[in-house]
């Protein structure tokens, strides 16, 4: 993978290294796990994070057994303290961050239509799917700002597209539409930097969330995230699916 001047080097204990560093949230399974695999296959050093230490470590070991450069760090995106600890760990141990993938997510509340909405349930979904990425961006972006470069990819959903908004799954839909707003806000606040911030929709993917009948494999679900993470000259503050821009 091409390392741009000033992008790919960092020092730890006097050692010069050229790896790109990535953090992926909610990566013990599903699309997040596959994102870690594909990034590591591109010579990126991946910090696989998950809220559960045992599940996270098992996932890390699986990728290490494939010969991939992956470490684990515990991070629950609903806890500001946990997120800040993870950011401090990255700063202290790697001194930089090239790629941040906000993948962790819960839902889909198909049995929660808007007109009969259980608001507490919606708040719970927002706490993970919207405020989670916001917490993570708040804590990790200062590391990117130090080197004035980086990629932030927010894993959103077609169900969060206002241009195609429908009924049901009100908490999930609201959380992903609001996540897209987070993308726009942060991209706008970082427009004078070389930090590129985008949302993407993986499409209906066969995971615990998507279920066995979903049309896409995890490889397909992860593909656009990895493309957004490593491709040069991308725009910022946009929404993508299948490597193409889509409507909000
Ligand atoms: P998944 O298999 O259910 O995986 C979700 C991951 O998020 C799990 O690792 C889960 O950890 C983690 N997570 C949940 N709450 C967390 C928290 N508070 N802190 C840290 N991690 C947390 O789902 P997936 O299909 O791979 O979904 C990944 C992303 O793609 C989500 O943002 C989802 O909304 C989005 N997406 C999925 C589809 C689809 O069809 N699958 C379609 C569109 C968008 P645990 O194992 O501990 O629960």
């Amino acid at each position: 993978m091409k390392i741009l001047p000033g992008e790919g080097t960092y020092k730890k204990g006097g050692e010069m290294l050229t790896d790109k560093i990535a953090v992926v949230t909610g990566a013990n399974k599903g699309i997040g796990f596959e994102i870690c695999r594909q990034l590591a296959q591109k010579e990126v050093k991946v910090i696989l994070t998950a809220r559960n230490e045992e599940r996270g470590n098992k996932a890390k070991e699986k990728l290490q057994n494939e010969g991939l450069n992956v470490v684990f760090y515990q991070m629950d995106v609903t806890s500001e303290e946990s997120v800040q600890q993870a950011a401090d760990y990255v700063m202290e141990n790697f001194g930089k961050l090239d790629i941040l993938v906000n993948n962790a997510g819960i839902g889909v509340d198909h049995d929660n239509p808007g007109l009969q909405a259980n608001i507490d349930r919606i708040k719970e979904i927002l706490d993970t799917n919207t405020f989670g990425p916001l917490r993570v961006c708040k804590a990790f972006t200062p590391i990117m700002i130090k080197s004035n470069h980086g990629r932030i990819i927010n894993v959103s959903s077609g169900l969060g597209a206002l241009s195609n908004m429908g009924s049901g799954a009100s908490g999930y839909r609201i959380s992903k539409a609001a996540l897209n707003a987070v993308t726009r806000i942060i991209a706008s606040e970082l427009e004078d930097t070389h930090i590129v911030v985008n949302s993407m929709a993986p499409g209906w993917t066969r995971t615990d969330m998507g279920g066995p009948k979903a049309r896409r494999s995890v490889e397909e679900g992860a593909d656009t995230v990895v493309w957004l993470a490593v491709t040069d000259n991308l725009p910022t503050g946009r929404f993508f699916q299948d490597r193409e821009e889509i409507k909000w």
Side-chain angles (χ1 to χ4, degrees):
M1 150 178 213
K2 192 171 146 200
I3 306 283
L4 297 174
E7 254 197 350
T9 54
Y10 65 99
K11 274 183 184 174
K12 189 176 180 252
E15 192 187 0
M16 283 294 266
L17 297 165
T18 54
D19 302 23
K20 284 202 168 198
I21 306 292
V23 166
V24 184
T25 70
N28 54 293
K29 65 178 182 180
I31 296 169
F33 178 74
E34 179 60 25
I35 293 166
C36 292
R37 174 185 274 138
Q38 291 186 18
L39 284 173
Q41 285 170 343
K42 291 187 182 300
E43 319 271 300
V44 175
K45 182 172 182 82
V46 176
I47 301 151
L48 180 159
T49 72
R51 59 179 162 179
N52 180 287
E53 197 147 358
E54 196 183 334
R55 288 198 289 267
N57 267 313
K58 273 196 183 143
K60 171 206 74 177
E61 279 161 25
K62 202 167 165 193
L63 294 179
Q64 284 180 343
N65 289 340
E66 294 176 18
L68 297 172
N69 194 358
V70 178
V71 296
F72 168 70
Y73 198 85
Q74 194 269 342
M75 171 161 49
D76 180 342
V77 301
T78 63
S79 159
E80 200 138 350
E81 193 190 352
S82 168
V83 168
Q84 190 56 55
Q85 275 172 8
D88 293 345
Y89 161 80
V90 171
M91 189 59 209
E92 278 160 26
N93 288 276
F94 305 100
K96 68 161 197 155
L97 180 62
D98 303 284
I99 298 160
L100 173 62
V101 182
N102 281 306
N103 165 79
I106 58 169
V108 178
D109 54 342
H110 285 301
D111 56 342
N112 199 17
L115 290 174
Q116 288 90 39
N118 178 332
I119 304 279
D120 284 340
R121 205 158 155 215
I122 296 178
K123 283 183 185 168
E124 198 185 314
I125 296 171
L126 282 166
D127 198 27
T128 300
N129 293 6
T130 311
F131 305 138
L134 190 54
R135 282 183 198 100
V136 172
C137 286
K138 269 180 68 187
F140 283 87
T141 303
I143 307 176
M144 287 184 169
I145 288 173
K146 278 184 81 150
S147 59
N148 191 26
H149 86 277
R151 298 290 169 88
I152 300 174
I153 299 112
N154 292 328
V155 179
S156 182
S157 168
L159 295 180
L162 289 175
S163 56
N164 195 25
M165 193 54 67
S167 60
S170 58
Y172 189 77
R173 285 182 183 279
I174 291 168
S175 73
K176 293 296 189 180
L179 174 60
N180 287 347
V182 168
T183 296
R184 295 283 296 196
I185 291 163
I186 291 174
S188 165
E189 291 178 2
L190 294 174
E191 70 184 351
D192 293 333
T193 72
H194 294 288
I195 302 168
V196 169
V197 189
N198 286 303
S199 278
M200 64 75 68
W204 189 26
T205 304
R206 288 187 295 280
T207 62
D208 285 352
M209 184 186 287
K213 290 188 183 155
R215 289 192 202 97
R216 291 173 180 232
S217 64
V218 281
E219 288 82 0
E220 290 168 313
D223 173 77
T224 296
V225 173
V226 176
W227 176 78
L228 286 167
V230 302
T231 304
D232 293 336
N233 302 318
L234 286 176
T236 190
R238 311 285 175 92
F239 192 17
F240 289 88
Q241 183 164 37
D242 295 332
R243 302 188 179 202
E244 288 188 358
E245 196 178 340
I246 57 170
K247 284 188 185 161
W248 292 108

